[in-house]
Amino acid sequence: MIEPLQLFWIFGIVVLVLALVALIEIRRSYFRREHEVMFGTPLFDAQVQEQGLLPDEIKVLEKLVRSSRYENKDAILNTAALFESAVSNYYDFKGEENVDDSVLATIGVLRRKLNFTAANPLATVSSTRQYNETNRVDVLLDGGTRLFHSTILSTDELGLVVEYDESMGSGRSLVGRSVRLRWTRPEDAVYTARVMVKSFDRGRLTLSHASTLEKKQLRRWVREPVDFPVEATLEDGSTCSGVLLDLSAGGILLGLPMDCSSGQHLKIKFELPSFGEENVEIEILRNLGRKNPKFQDYFFLTASFAGAFGWTQERVLQYIFEVHKQKKAPEEA
């Protein structure tokens, strides 16, 4: 009869043997993954040559694709989303802090050379690593109850640096806390990410990156033609009067006598029927020029809401709903 202690040892030996077999198989699989010729290699080789990538850049690109789950080697070159997914997998596997500085720098160079940054309107944005210097962003504190407008001063693979005005409170008190970073990409969407404040130094916050972004499509909002007087306040405090010509919960089309540029922030005031005065910040997306013969002296501008616009957005949606309901009523009568 086998003693319980003997059973324990037999069971332990079996478990160890199975674990050893599993480790050997994992090792073999990893070795094959690192060294085998992948599908799509000829296409990969042709595309890296066409892109003019340097040998060190190609070597890093191969590291990325082999750390991904892609079967085809050339997949990483096809879209920004596939490239960022491979980058995220590589960092998850290696740990960002364990990756050589030269490799980190090369990944940033590859993103720019392949035109996978957010500056390319055709590139899908799936990571804050794609953001660019000078992008205007909003930083939301305390669950969104406090907000400040900022600009990205610099960005690399480990984080991005934004301006911080200490009138919002001590920057050092934010270190280690989670904040929400919101960026409006013209004619695309509002992207929001939850990031950590890594450090503070002389009016600058260093934020971690995020590979999970909340995206609110700008063009998904129903637009309603309107003709509302509007008063605009520019960043220097000067004011001017204009007209609001279409309205949605995501943005507006307005005409102003001032020539404004993309990315410029203004405050506008207008009367929303049945709801009263709205006072909200906007960001100019595009300047369409003097295109309306009815208002020959006005520059026509597309803009998105910025800052704390939640209540305005809700009231605009209710207004559009009521207008559509009133338009539909005669048809049903």
Side-chain angles (χ1 to χ4, degrees):
M1 183 176 179
I2 300 176
E3 296 292 330
L5 185 59
Q6 291 175 312
L7 282 173
F8 174 79
W9 281 108
I10 292 170
F11 178 75
I13 291 169
V14 170
V15 169
L16 286 173
V17 170
L18 291 175
L20 183 61
V21 169
L23 285 172
I24 291 172
E25 187 56 36
I26 291 171
R27 179 69 179 173
R28 283 178 177 172
S29 176
Y30 180 76
F31 182 84
R32 287 196 301 269
R33 180 70 178 173
E34 286 290 297
H35 299 284
E36 70 182 359
V37 176
M38 296 179 66
F39 295 118
T41 295
L43 284 173
F44 175 89
D45 293 340
Q47 288 187 55
V48 295
Q49 291 300 321
E50 184 180 337
Q51 295 283 351
L53 300 186
L54 302 176
D56 286 347
E57 293 166 353
I58 296 172
K59 191 181 297 183
V60 170
L61 200 57
E62 288 181 334
K63 285 183 180 181
L64 295 178
V65 74
R66 289 186 183 277
S67 69
S68 73
R69 299 180 179 86
Y70 307 147
E71 294 296 329
N72 283 37
K73 193 174 182 180
D74 63 312
I76 196 170
L77 298 167
N78 291 341
T79 68
L82 292 176
F83 176 84
E84 292 303 331
S85 177
V87 169
S88 295
N89 285 337
Y90 181 73
Y91 289 151
D92 289 343
F93 178 69
K94 292 282 188 180
E96 293 176 3
E97 66 285 353
N98 299 323
V99 179
D100 289 343
D101 290 344
S102 61
V103 174
L104 292 172
T106 300
I107 291 173
V109 170
L110 283 168
R111 184 180 291 107
R112 292 189 293 274
K113 278 195 171 184
L114 296 172
N115 204 16
F116 287 160
T117 72
N120 176 5
L122 300 179
T124 301
V125 177
S126 57
S127 169
T128 56
R129 290 188 176 90
Q130 295 172 263
Y131 292 2
N132 297 280
E133 292 179 15
T134 73
N135 283 160
R136 298 288 296 267
V137 294
D138 297 325
V139 181
L140 291 81
L141 310 174
D142 303 328
T145 59
R146 291 193 297 147
L147 171 146
F148 67 91
H149 310 298
S150 188
T151 302
I152 297 176
L153 300 175
S154 63
T155 179
D156 59 24
E157 292 303 296
L158 298 180
L160 47 84
V161 178
V162 300
E163 289 180 326
Y164 180 70
D165 183 351
E166 288 213 72
S167 64
M168 294 294 299
S170 170
R172 298 193 186 282
S173 68
L174 296 175
V175 176
R177 289 175 54 186
S178 171
V179 299
R180 295 178 68 205
L181 184 71
R182 187 171 66 203
W183 173 58
T184 301
R185 190 187 196 193
E187 298 183 53
D188 177 21
V190 178
Y191 292 89
T192 306
R194 188 165 291 281
V195 297
M196 295 293 295
V197 179
K198 298 175 70 176
S199 65
F200 169 78
D201 182 42
R202 299 177 184 178
R204 300 180 173 208
L205 291 179
T206 300
L207 308 176
S208 65
H209 280 299
S211 298
T212 301
L213 308 181
E214 176 190 336
K215 179 179 179 181
K216 289 187 177 178
Q217 208 85 23
L218 290 179
R219 56 178 171 266
R220 73 186 176 95
W221 303 111
V222 175
R223 290 189 174 271
E224 179 64 28
V226 295
D227 187 359
F228 299 157
V230 64
E231 181 181 310
T233 302
L234 281 67
E235 291 172 311
D236 62 4
S238 61
T239 61
C240 63
S241 298
V243 62
L244 197 59
L245 286 183
D246 91 22
L247 183 64
S248 80
I252 59 174
L253 172 67
L254 76 161
L256 294 176
M258 308 295 293
D259 189 6
C260 300
S261 57
S262 299
Q264 189 172 343
H265 280 233
L266 316 174
K267 288 186 178 177
I268 62 167
K269 191 161 51 177
F270 62 93
E271 191 79 17
L272 187 64
S274 303
F275 294 94
E277 184 178 271
E278 300 297 327
N279 197 334
V280 67
E281 183 176 351
I282 61 171
E283 178 179 353
I284 304 300
L285 300 180
R286 289 183 64 196
N287 187 328
L288 305 177
R290 293 185 174 98
K291 60 172 289 184
N292 193 315
K294 183 180 175 182
F295 302 98
Q296 296 182 8
D297 296 330
Y298 286 171
F299 294 91
F300 280 82
L301 313 160
T302 62
S304 63
F305 291 127
F309 60 88
W311 283 110
T312 295
Q313 186 182 66
E314 184 174 324
R315 286 190 284 264
V316 167
L317 281 171
Q318 291 177 21
Y319 167 75
I320 292 175
F321 174 77
E322 290 298 327
V323 170
H324 282 211
K325 189 167 71 172
Q326 290 170 16
K327 287 180 180 178
K328 197 174 180 181
E331 296 174 3
E332 296 176 345

